[in-house]
Amino acid sequence: MPGDAVAVLDSTGRLLGRGLYNPRTGIACRLLTRRDELVDADLIHRRLAGALQFRQAAGLAGDGYRLCWSEADGLPGLVIDRYGPVSVVQCQTLGMSRLGGWIAGALGRLFPDGPIYRADDATAARIEGFEPQRGRLTSAPSSDASEEIEITDGPCRLVVTLGGGHKTGLYLDQRANHARVAGYAAGRRVLDAFAYQGAFACHALLGGARQAVLIESSSGALAGARRNLEANGVAERAELREANAFDELRQLEAGRERFGVVVLDPPPFTRRKETVDAATRGYKEINIRGLRLLEPGGVLATFSCSHHVTPEMFEAICRDAAGDAGVTTRLLAPLTQAGDHPVLLNVPETRYLTGLLLQAV
Ligand code: SAH
């Protein structure tokens, strides 16, 4: 039955592994093991315990971090982020969506009394054929967690709406980059385009930026940004613009505005191989404009989170953009997703966030 755990055999009847089956999708079975072991509550617990151990050993298990990154942690279709004592679970496949009880049980063993929320993605649920769940899953008796929680990320405080907002609440994959980009912000004017709840801007302003301009098309995300800027006491140095970044970048360029730091962190411009060309044009356009907005010595942090756009492709796009913009550009560093979103060498899809830190010479 769709969603069931099944054994996968080769033509001679030899066991290849066990996984979760869904014939509706491009990947009919997602393997959870290549060994002869059962897909049961204990397997989920072993995998999550291993995921926690890896992050603790690497110093990645702070106040907000990704505990489980799907295939990369041996649990395809399952994402779990931790915000303080809270676990936010996102099921991305039909099979995984049915294992909520086992997942909650394993989390209960690892984090006794920690509240658990679900934040399933509606698009994934539609493709896979399950009803997405959002909101509080368990109510641990000793906990008084509300629907919002504030976490600390270095010097920064960020408010998370549990079971709401994008992803599981925050873009934890950008955490290391928030801090890194802030290192260039002191005394400068910063543009945070595709800002979501303003994490780049908050870090930059705490790092001494003179001013930050945030561009974001979603009013809900901007409301979150305003709250975060206020929580960090930097709201008076920020300007929030609810706008389409493509239009706003064009207007800033037409107005000959200049910034010491520009961040371009758009949503994935393609989720499919067939539309990579159109995505390439989109990335090129915003990067031409972003580079033209830099003052001499200014720094552009530019990203793609479309896993079909490889680091090599993205570098080529930015090279083209720099040529068209007429800006001599120094490559300061390649950027990628935070270490709590590990990459499996043999599962290239586990790497999806690519970026470049560039400087106008
Ligand atoms: N930089 C953020 C994450 C950005 S995610 C962080 O580090 O937390 C991308 C954001 O772009 C989303 O919040 C989405 O609402 C916004 N967005 C999507 N299309 C947009 C557009 N055309 N113009 C402006 N913002 C857009």
Side-chain angles (χ1 to χ4, degrees), residues 3 17-18 22 30 39 45 98 101 110-111 120 130 145 164 169 187 213 225 228 234 241 243 261 263 300 352 354:
R18 291 181 205 274
N22 188 355
R30 292 178 191 257
V39 174
H45 176 255
R98 294 198 184 154
L110 293 172
F111 310 105
D120 294 347
F130 68 91
V213 175
N228 283 331
V234 295
R241 300 189 186 172
V261 175
V263 179
L300 171 67
Y352 64 97
T354 184

Side-chain angles (χ1 to χ4, degrees), residues 30-32 47-48 51 55 66-81 90-93 96 340-342 344 347 349-350 352:
R30 292 178 191 257
L31 287 186
L32 276 79
R47 293 276 192 278
L48 291 181
R55 285 154 178 84
R66 176 150 297 186
L67 169 68
C68 179
W69 170 218
S70 199
E71 278 84 358
D73 287 296
L75 291 170
L78 180 61
V79 163
I80 304 175
D81 289 341
Q90 184 175 74
C91 293
Q92 300 175 332
T93 64
M96 203 50 87
D340 53 0
H341 296 54
L344 280 195
V347 187
E349 293 83 358
T350 52
Y352 64 97

Side-chain angles (χ1 to χ4, degrees), residues 91 97 118-126 129-135:
C91 293
S97 75
R118 270 285 274 273
D120 294 347
D121 177 56
T123 309
R126 197 174 55 244
F130 68 91
E131 198 54 48
Q133 278 191 46
R134 280 202 166 245

Side-chain angles (χ1 to χ4, degrees), residues 166 170-171 174 178 192-200 215-218 221 243-246 263 265-267:
H166 301 177
L170 291 184
Y171 286 81
Q174 286 285 25
H178 295 146
D192 183 359
F194 306 95
Y196 185 51
Q197 297 182 342
F200 275 109
I215 307 173
E216 167 60 51
S217 60
S218 146
N244 180 335
F246 282 86
V263 179
D265 185 20

Side-chain angles (χ1 to χ4, degrees), residues 247-259:
D247 300 336
E248 193 64 26
L249 287 167
R250 197 175 308 127
Q251 289 200 356
L252 288 167
E253 191 192 331
R256 299 187 176 281
E257 302 231 21
R258 289 290 178 271
F259 296 87

Side-chain angles (χ1 to χ4, degrees), residues 153 167 170-181 199-200 203 263-266 301-305 335-338 340-341 352-355:
D153 183 15
K167 296 224 179 194
L170 291 184
Y171 286 81
L172 292 170
D173 50 359
Q174 286 285 25
R175 233 177 43 158
N177 297 323
H178 295 146
R180 185 158 187 177
V181 170
F200 275 109
H203 277 269
V263 179
L264 299 174
D265 185 20
T302 179
F303 300 94
S304 159
C305 57
L335 300 171
T336 187
Q337 62 216 48
D340 53 0
H341 296 54
Y352 64 97
L353 181 64
T354 184

